[in-house]
Amino acid sequence: MFDLGARLTDPVDLSIGQPHFPVPDSVKEAAVRAIREDRNRYTVTQGIPALNEAVLDVIQRRTGQRPESSMVTAGVAGGLTLGFLALLDESDRALIPDPYFVCYRNLGALLGKEPVCYDTYPDFRVTEDRLEAGMREDVRLLLVNSPSNPTGHVLSVEELKICAAFARRHDLVIVTDEIYDAFAYDGPVPSILSYYDQVLFLGGFGKTYGMPGWRLGYAAGPDDVIERMRALQQVSFVCAPAPLQYAALTALEVDLKPYVDAYRQKRDRIYEGLKDVLDVVRPDGAFYLFPRVPGGLDADAFVERCIAKNLLVVPGMAFSHARTHFRVSFALDDAVLEKGVTLLRELAEEAASEAAQA
Ligand code: PMP
Protein backbone atom coordinates (compact mmCIF):
# COMPACT_ATOMS: atom_id res chain seq x y z
CA MET A 1 0.00 0.00 0.00
CA PHE A 2 2.82 2.38 0.87
CA ASP A 3 4.50 1.57 -2.47
CA LEU A 4 1.31 2.36 -4.30
CA GLY A 5 0.84 5.49 -2.26
CA ALA A 6 4.33 6.73 -3.09
CA ARG A 7 3.36 6.73 -6.77
CA LEU A 8 0.37 9.02 -6.17
CA THR A 9 0.72 12.74 -6.73
CA ASP A 10 -0.51 14.83 -3.84
CA PRO A 11 -2.66 12.10 -2.22
CA VAL A 12 -5.22 12.83 0.50
CA ASP A 13 -3.13 11.07 3.12
CA LEU A 14 -5.07 9.82 6.13
CA SER A 15 -2.54 7.07 6.84
CA ILE A 16 -0.12 9.18 8.86
CA GLY A 17 0.66 8.14 12.44
CA GLN A 18 2.15 11.36 13.77
CA PRO A 19 0.94 14.86 14.69
CA HIS A 20 0.76 17.35 11.84
CA PHE A 21 2.05 20.33 13.88
CA PRO A 22 5.74 21.31 14.12
CA VAL A 23 7.81 21.20 17.30
CA PRO A 24 7.04 24.39 19.30
CA ASP A 25 9.66 27.11 18.70
CA SER A 26 10.78 27.30 22.34
CA VAL A 27 11.64 23.59 22.19
CA LYS A 28 13.50 23.89 18.88
CA GLU A 29 15.52 26.75 20.40
CA ALA A 30 16.33 24.63 23.46
CA ALA A 31 17.63 21.85 21.20
CA VAL A 32 19.80 24.25 19.20
CA ARG A 33 21.10 25.74 22.44
CA ALA A 34 21.95 22.31 23.87
CA ILE A 35 23.91 21.42 20.72
CA ARG A 36 25.75 24.78 20.78
CA GLU A 37 26.56 24.28 24.46
CA ASP A 38 28.27 21.01 23.53
CA ARG A 39 25.82 18.71 25.25
CA ASN A 40 26.56 16.20 22.52
CA ARG A 41 28.35 13.44 24.39
CA TYR A 42 26.70 10.32 25.81
CA THR A 43 24.55 10.89 28.85
CA VAL A 44 24.37 8.30 31.62
CA THR A 45 22.48 5.36 30.17
CA GLN A 46 19.26 6.09 32.10
CA GLY A 47 19.21 9.69 30.85
CA ILE A 48 19.86 13.03 32.56
CA PRO A 49 18.70 13.20 36.19
CA ALA A 50 16.62 16.37 35.67
CA LEU A 51 14.54 14.73 32.94
CA ASN A 52 14.05 11.58 35.00
CA GLU A 53 12.80 13.65 37.93
CA ALA A 54 10.56 15.64 35.60
CA VAL A 55 8.90 12.58 34.03
CA LEU A 56 8.32 11.04 37.46
CA ASP A 57 6.65 14.32 38.49
CA VAL A 58 4.47 14.20 35.36
CA ILE A 59 3.43 10.61 36.08
CA GLN A 60 2.72 11.40 39.73
CA ARG A 61 0.59 14.44 38.87
CA ARG A 62 -1.45 12.38 36.44
CA THR A 63 -1.84 9.09 38.28
CA GLY A 64 -1.21 9.87 41.94
CA GLN A 65 1.56 7.25 41.92
CA ARG A 66 5.31 7.80 41.75
CA PRO A 67 7.06 4.72 40.32
CA GLU A 68 10.28 3.66 42.12
CA SER A 69 12.54 4.23 39.11
CA SER A 70 12.64 5.65 35.63
CA MET A 71 14.83 5.95 32.56
CA VAL A 72 14.82 7.88 29.29
CA THR A 73 14.49 5.62 26.24
CA ALA A 74 15.08 5.92 22.50
CA GLY A 75 11.40 6.44 21.71
CA VAL A 76 8.64 4.34 23.17
CA ALA A 77 9.74 1.67 20.70
CA GLY A 78 13.05 1.64 22.62
CA GLY A 79 11.14 1.26 25.91
CA LEU A 80 9.03 -1.56 24.49
CA THR A 81 12.11 -3.37 23.19
CA LEU A 82 13.97 -3.14 26.50
CA GLY A 83 10.83 -3.87 28.52
CA PHE A 84 10.04 -7.03 26.56
CA LEU A 85 13.70 -8.09 26.76
CA ALA A 86 13.70 -7.59 30.53
CA LEU A 87 10.34 -9.24 31.19
CA LEU A 88 10.07 -12.13 28.71
CA ASP A 89 12.13 -15.30 28.34
CA GLU A 90 12.05 -17.19 25.03
CA SER A 91 9.36 -19.48 26.43
CA ASP A 92 7.10 -16.65 27.65
CA ARG A 93 4.29 -14.89 25.88
CA ALA A 94 2.77 -11.44 26.03
CA LEU A 95 -1.00 -11.09 26.00
CA ILE A 96 -1.78 -8.12 23.76
CA PRO A 97 -5.00 -6.47 22.56
CA ASP A 98 -6.40 -7.09 19.08
CA PRO A 99 -6.38 -4.60 17.40
CA TYR A 100 -2.81 -3.82 18.48
CA PHE A 101 0.02 -1.44 17.66
CA VAL A 102 2.11 -3.54 15.30
CA CYS A 103 5.34 -3.46 17.38
CA TYR A 104 3.69 -5.46 20.19
CA ARG A 105 3.21 -8.46 18.00
CA ASN A 106 6.55 -8.30 16.21
CA LEU A 107 8.67 -7.51 19.26
CA GLY A 108 6.76 -10.08 21.31
CA ALA A 109 7.47 -12.75 18.69
CA LEU A 110 11.11 -11.70 18.41
CA LEU A 111 11.83 -11.63 22.15
CA GLY A 112 9.46 -14.29 23.46
CA LYS A 113 6.96 -16.67 21.90
CA GLU A 114 4.35 -15.37 19.43
CA PRO A 115 2.04 -13.17 21.53
CA VAL A 116 -1.56 -14.17 22.10
CA CYS A 117 -4.33 -11.63 21.71
CA TYR A 118 -7.39 -10.61 23.64
CA ASP A 119 -10.01 -9.74 21.09
CA THR A 120 -11.67 -6.39 21.77
CA TYR A 121 -13.99 -6.17 18.73
CA PRO A 122 -16.43 -4.66 18.08
CA ASP A 123 -16.38 -1.90 20.72
CA PHE A 124 -12.65 -2.16 21.61
CA ARG A 125 -13.43 -2.44 25.32
CA VAL A 126 -11.66 -4.77 27.76
CA THR A 127 -13.83 -7.24 29.63
CA GLU A 128 -12.94 -10.11 31.93
CA ASP A 129 -14.29 -12.65 29.42
CA ARG A 130 -12.22 -11.19 26.61
CA LEU A 131 -9.04 -11.31 28.71
CA GLU A 132 -9.71 -14.85 29.94
CA ALA A 133 -10.43 -16.05 26.39
CA GLY A 134 -6.95 -14.91 25.33
CA MET A 135 -5.11 -16.31 28.37
CA ARG A 136 -2.59 -19.16 27.98
CA GLU A 137 -0.44 -20.91 30.57
CA ASP A 138 2.80 -19.38 29.27
CA VAL A 139 1.58 -15.75 29.36
CA ARG A 140 3.73 -13.61 31.70
CA LEU A 141 2.89 -10.11 30.60
CA LEU A 142 -0.31 -8.21 29.87
CA LEU A 143 -0.08 -5.26 27.54
CA VAL A 144 -2.52 -2.38 27.74
CA ASN A 145 -2.50 0.65 25.45
CA SER A 146 -4.60 3.67 26.32
CA PRO A 147 -5.42 5.80 24.38
CA SER A 148 -5.12 3.11 21.74
CA ASN A 149 -3.49 3.02 18.36
CA PRO A 150 -5.43 2.20 16.14
CA THR A 151 -8.84 2.59 17.85
CA GLY A 152 -8.51 5.78 19.93
CA HIS A 153 -10.23 3.98 22.82
CA VAL A 154 -9.38 5.23 26.32
CA LEU A 155 -9.63 2.52 28.98
CA SER A 156 -12.13 3.49 31.69
CA VAL A 157 -11.46 3.06 35.40
CA GLU A 158 -13.77 0.05 35.33
CA GLU A 159 -11.80 -1.58 32.50
CA LEU A 160 -8.51 -0.84 34.28
CA LYS A 161 -9.79 -2.51 37.45
CA ILE A 162 -10.70 -5.57 35.38
CA CYS A 163 -7.14 -5.63 33.97
CA ALA A 164 -5.67 -5.28 37.47
CA ALA A 165 -7.81 -8.11 38.92
CA PHE A 166 -6.95 -10.34 35.95
CA ALA A 167 -3.21 -9.63 36.25
CA ARG A 168 -3.34 -10.30 40.01
CA ARG A 169 -5.18 -13.58 39.47
CA HIS A 170 -2.61 -14.81 36.93
CA ASP A 171 0.44 -13.15 38.49
CA LEU A 172 1.26 -11.03 35.45
CA VAL A 173 3.31 -7.90 34.96
CA ILE A 174 1.40 -5.18 33.12
CA VAL A 175 3.14 -3.07 30.48
CA THR A 176 1.13 0.07 29.83
CA ASP A 177 1.82 2.08 26.67
CA GLU A 178 0.45 5.57 27.27
CA ILE A 179 2.25 7.36 24.43
CA TYR A 180 -1.00 9.15 23.46
CA ASP A 181 -1.89 10.27 27.01
CA ALA A 182 -1.87 13.97 26.05
CA PHE A 183 -4.49 13.40 23.34
CA ALA A 184 -7.64 12.89 25.39
CA TYR A 185 -10.84 14.66 24.42
CA ASP A 186 -13.43 13.70 27.00
CA GLY A 187 -11.58 13.98 30.30
CA PRO A 188 -8.26 12.79 31.70
CA VAL A 189 -6.81 9.38 30.85
CA PRO A 190 -6.84 7.11 33.90
CA SER A 191 -3.80 4.83 34.25
CA ILE A 192 -3.39 1.25 35.36
CA LEU A 193 -0.62 2.57 37.63
CA SER A 194 -3.36 3.73 40.00
CA TYR A 195 -4.76 0.17 40.32
CA TYR A 196 -1.83 -2.29 40.18
CA ASP A 197 1.76 -2.23 41.36
CA GLN A 198 3.62 -4.59 38.98
CA VAL A 199 3.46 -2.06 36.14
CA LEU A 200 5.99 -0.93 33.57
CA PHE A 201 4.80 2.49 32.40
CA LEU A 202 5.88 3.70 28.95
CA GLY A 203 5.43 7.30 27.92
CA GLY A 204 6.73 9.41 25.08
CA PHE A 205 7.56 12.83 23.74
CA GLY A 206 7.23 12.13 20.00
CA LYS A 207 3.46 12.31 19.63
CA THR A 208 2.89 14.87 22.39
CA TYR A 209 5.19 17.56 21.02
CA GLY A 210 5.28 16.70 17.30
CA MET A 211 8.82 15.28 17.52
CA PRO A 212 8.61 11.54 16.69
CA GLY A 213 11.92 11.82 14.81
CA TRP A 214 13.69 12.88 17.99
CA ARG A 215 13.33 9.34 19.35
CA LEU A 216 12.55 10.19 22.97
CA GLY A 217 10.47 8.22 25.42
CA TYR A 218 10.58 7.13 29.02
CA ALA A 219 9.97 4.06 31.12
CA ALA A 220 9.04 3.96 34.79
CA GLY A 221 8.33 1.11 37.17
CA PRO A 222 9.70 -1.11 39.94
CA ASP A 223 13.44 -0.75 40.66
CA ASP A 224 14.35 -4.29 39.58
CA VAL A 225 12.65 -3.98 36.17
CA ILE A 226 14.14 -0.56 35.37
CA GLU A 227 17.55 -1.77 36.59
CA ARG A 228 17.45 -4.63 34.07
CA MET A 229 16.31 -2.27 31.32
CA ARG A 230 19.14 0.14 32.11
CA ALA A 231 21.68 -2.68 31.89
CA LEU A 232 20.20 -3.65 28.51
CA GLN A 233 20.18 -0.03 27.26
CA GLN A 234 23.85 0.29 28.26
CA VAL A 235 24.77 -2.50 25.83
CA SER A 236 22.36 -1.55 23.05
CA PHE A 237 21.05 2.00 22.52
CA VAL A 238 23.56 3.36 25.13
CA CYS A 239 21.37 6.42 25.74
CA ALA A 240 18.62 8.50 24.15
CA PRO A 241 19.80 11.45 21.99
CA ALA A 242 21.69 13.67 24.44
CA PRO A 243 20.95 17.28 23.37
CA LEU A 244 17.31 16.41 22.81
CA GLN A 245 17.00 15.19 26.40
CA TYR A 246 17.82 18.76 27.50
CA ALA A 247 15.30 20.17 25.02
CA ALA A 248 12.67 17.77 26.37
CA LEU A 249 12.84 19.65 29.69
CA THR A 250 11.63 22.72 27.81
CA ALA A 251 8.98 20.66 26.01
CA LEU A 252 7.46 19.73 29.37
CA GLU A 253 6.72 23.44 29.94
CA VAL A 254 4.62 23.76 26.77
CA ASP A 255 0.89 24.39 27.27
CA LEU A 256 -0.75 21.57 25.32
CA LYS A 257 -4.32 22.82 25.65
CA PRO A 258 -4.47 24.62 22.27
CA TYR A 259 -3.16 21.52 20.50
CA VAL A 260 -5.59 19.20 22.24
CA ASP A 261 -8.53 21.58 21.67
CA ALA A 262 -7.70 21.67 17.95
CA TYR A 263 -7.49 17.87 17.77
CA ARG A 264 -10.79 17.53 19.65
CA GLN A 265 -12.43 19.64 16.92
CA LYS A 266 -10.86 17.43 14.26
CA ARG A 267 -12.08 14.33 16.08
CA ASP A 268 -15.60 15.77 16.23
CA ARG A 269 -15.52 16.80 12.57
CA ILE A 270 -14.41 13.43 11.20
CA TYR A 271 -16.57 11.36 13.53
CA GLU A 272 -19.70 13.44 12.94
CA GLY A 273 -18.92 13.49 9.20
CA LEU A 274 -18.73 9.71 8.93
CA LYS A 275 -20.87 8.13 11.61
CA ASP A 276 -24.02 7.90 9.48
CA VAL A 277 -22.24 6.11 6.61
CA LEU A 278 -19.64 4.01 8.46
CA ASP A 279 -19.80 1.64 11.41
CA VAL A 280 -17.35 3.47 13.66
CA VAL A 281 -16.71 3.79 17.41
CA ARG A 282 -16.18 7.36 18.60
CA PRO A 283 -12.54 7.63 19.70
CA ASP A 284 -11.93 9.41 23.01
CA GLY A 285 -8.20 9.79 22.53
CA ALA A 286 -5.15 9.51 20.22
CA PHE A 287 -5.82 10.74 16.67
CA TYR A 288 -7.29 7.76 14.87
CA LEU A 289 -10.60 6.25 13.86
CA PHE A 290 -10.88 2.52 13.20
CA PRO A 291 -14.09 2.03 11.20
CA ARG A 292 -15.47 -1.20 9.77
CA VAL A 293 -14.95 -1.53 6.03
CA PRO A 294 -18.29 -0.66 4.39
CA GLY A 295 -20.43 -2.98 2.30
CA GLY A 296 -18.81 -6.16 3.67
CA LEU A 297 -15.72 -5.60 1.51
CA ASP A 298 -12.31 -7.03 2.42
CA ALA A 299 -10.00 -4.31 3.80
CA ASP A 300 -7.48 -4.84 0.96
CA ALA A 301 -10.13 -4.36 -1.70
CA PHE A 302 -11.43 -1.26 0.07
CA VAL A 303 -7.95 0.26 0.36
CA GLU A 304 -7.45 -0.30 -3.37
CA ARG A 305 -10.65 1.64 -4.03
CA CYS A 306 -9.37 4.42 -1.77
CA ILE A 307 -6.10 4.55 -3.71
CA ALA A 308 -8.06 4.79 -6.96
CA LYS A 309 -9.52 8.01 -5.51
CA ASN A 310 -6.08 9.27 -4.46
CA LEU A 311 -6.91 8.58 -0.79
CA LEU A 312 -4.57 6.76 1.60
CA VAL A 313 -5.80 4.83 4.65
CA VAL A 314 -4.23 1.85 6.45
CA PRO A 315 -5.84 -1.58 6.11
CA GLY A 316 -6.74 -3.17 9.45
CA MET A 317 -4.45 -6.18 8.89
CA ALA A 318 -1.54 -3.96 9.92
CA PHE A 319 -3.09 -3.94 13.41
CA SER A 320 -5.12 -7.09 13.67
CA HIS A 321 -5.84 -10.68 12.73
CA ALA A 322 -9.12 -9.40 11.30
CA ARG A 323 -9.44 -7.95 7.81
CA THR A 324 -12.62 -6.07 8.56
CA HIS A 325 -11.49 -2.56 9.54
CA PHE A 326 -9.22 0.27 8.41
CA ARG A 327 -7.43 3.11 10.19
CA VAL A 328 -7.71 6.78 9.37
CA SER A 329 -5.76 9.52 11.09
CA PHE A 330 -7.19 12.95 11.81
CA ALA A 331 -3.81 14.51 12.64
CA LEU A 332 -4.24 16.65 9.53
CA ASP A 333 -4.78 20.16 8.28
CA ASP A 334 -8.49 20.94 8.21
CA ALA A 335 -8.48 21.20 4.39
CA VAL A 336 -7.10 17.65 4.05
CA LEU A 337 -9.52 16.43 6.69
CA GLU A 338 -12.47 17.84 4.71
CA LYS A 339 -11.30 16.16 1.50
CA GLY A 340 -10.87 12.91 3.41
CA VAL A 341 -14.38 13.05 4.86
CA THR A 342 -15.87 13.75 1.41
CA LEU A 343 -13.99 10.89 -0.25
CA LEU A 344 -14.75 8.41 2.53
CA ARG A 345 -18.45 9.32 2.37
CA GLU A 346 -18.44 8.68 -1.39
CA LEU A 347 -16.68 5.34 -0.98
CA ALA A 348 -18.96 4.24 1.84
CA GLU A 349 -22.10 5.18 -0.08
CA GLU A 350 -20.86 3.35 -3.22
CA ALA A 351 -20.02 0.22 -1.24
CA ALA A 352 -23.36 0.30 0.57
CA SER A 353 -25.39 0.64 -2.63
CA GLU A 354 -23.45 -2.22 -4.27
CA ALA A 355 -24.09 -4.39 -1.25
CA ALA A 356 -27.79 -3.51 -1.38
CA GLN A 357 -27.98 -4.55 -5.08
CA ALA A 358 -26.10 -7.82 -4.57
N1 PMP B 1 3.27 2.85 20.90
C1 PMP B 1 2.26 3.22 20.11
C2 PMP B 1 0.87 2.86 20.50
C3 PMP B 1 2.52 3.94 18.93
O1 PMP B 1 1.50 4.30 18.13
C4 PMP B 1 3.86 4.25 18.59
C5 PMP B 1 4.23 5.01 17.34
N2 PMP B 1 3.37 4.95 16.29
C6 PMP B 1 4.87 3.81 19.44
C7 PMP B 1 4.55 3.14 20.59
C8 PMP B 1 6.32 4.08 19.14
O2 PMP B 1 6.62 5.37 19.53
P1 PMP B 1 8.05 6.06 19.34
O3 PMP B 1 8.01 6.76 18.03
O4 PMP B 1 8.17 6.99 20.51
O5 PMP B 1 9.05 4.96 19.36
Side-chain angles (χ1 to χ4, degrees), residues 17 74-78 80 101 103-104 145 147-149 177 179-180 203-207 212-213 215-217 288 327:
V76 175
L80 278 167
F101 169 54
C103 270
Y104 307 150
N145 171 214
S148 152
N149 177 8
D177 178 351
I179 187 170
Y180 294 100
F205 293 92
K207 311 284 178 184
R215 313 307 306 132
L216 276 182
Y288 309 111
R327 191 190 77 175

Side-chain angles (χ1 to χ4, degrees), residues 267-277 341-342 345:
R267 186 278 308 262
D268 291 343
R269 173 67 192 112
I270 194 167
Y271 175 73
E272 296 299 327
L274 296 176
K275 70 174 190 201
D276 61 325
V277 292
V341 169
T342 304
R345 287 193 66 86

Side-chain angles (χ1 to χ4, degrees), residues 34-103:
I35 291 170
R36 289 222 174 94
E37 288 171 359
D38 297 318
R39 298 177 190 270
N40 301 305
R41 305 168 74 101
Y42 302 127
T43 67
V44 281
T45 200
Q46 66 269 25
I48 58 173
L51 188 55
N52 275 289
E53 280 305 304
V55 298
L56 286 171
D57 289 346
V58 168
I59 294 172
Q60 185 167 16
R61 267 201 304 279
R62 219 193 94 208
T63 69
Q65 303 295 317
R66 192 176 187 86
E68 285 174 354
S69 269
S70 69
M71 64 188 288
V72 183
T73 56
V76 175
L80 278 167
T81 307
L82 299 174
F84 278 19
L85 267 169
L87 294 168
L88 293 175
D89 286 334
E90 303 98 50
S91 55
D92 298 336
R93 286 187 210 271
L95 178 59
I96 68 173
D98 186 345
Y100 45 76
F101 169 54
V102 65
C103 270

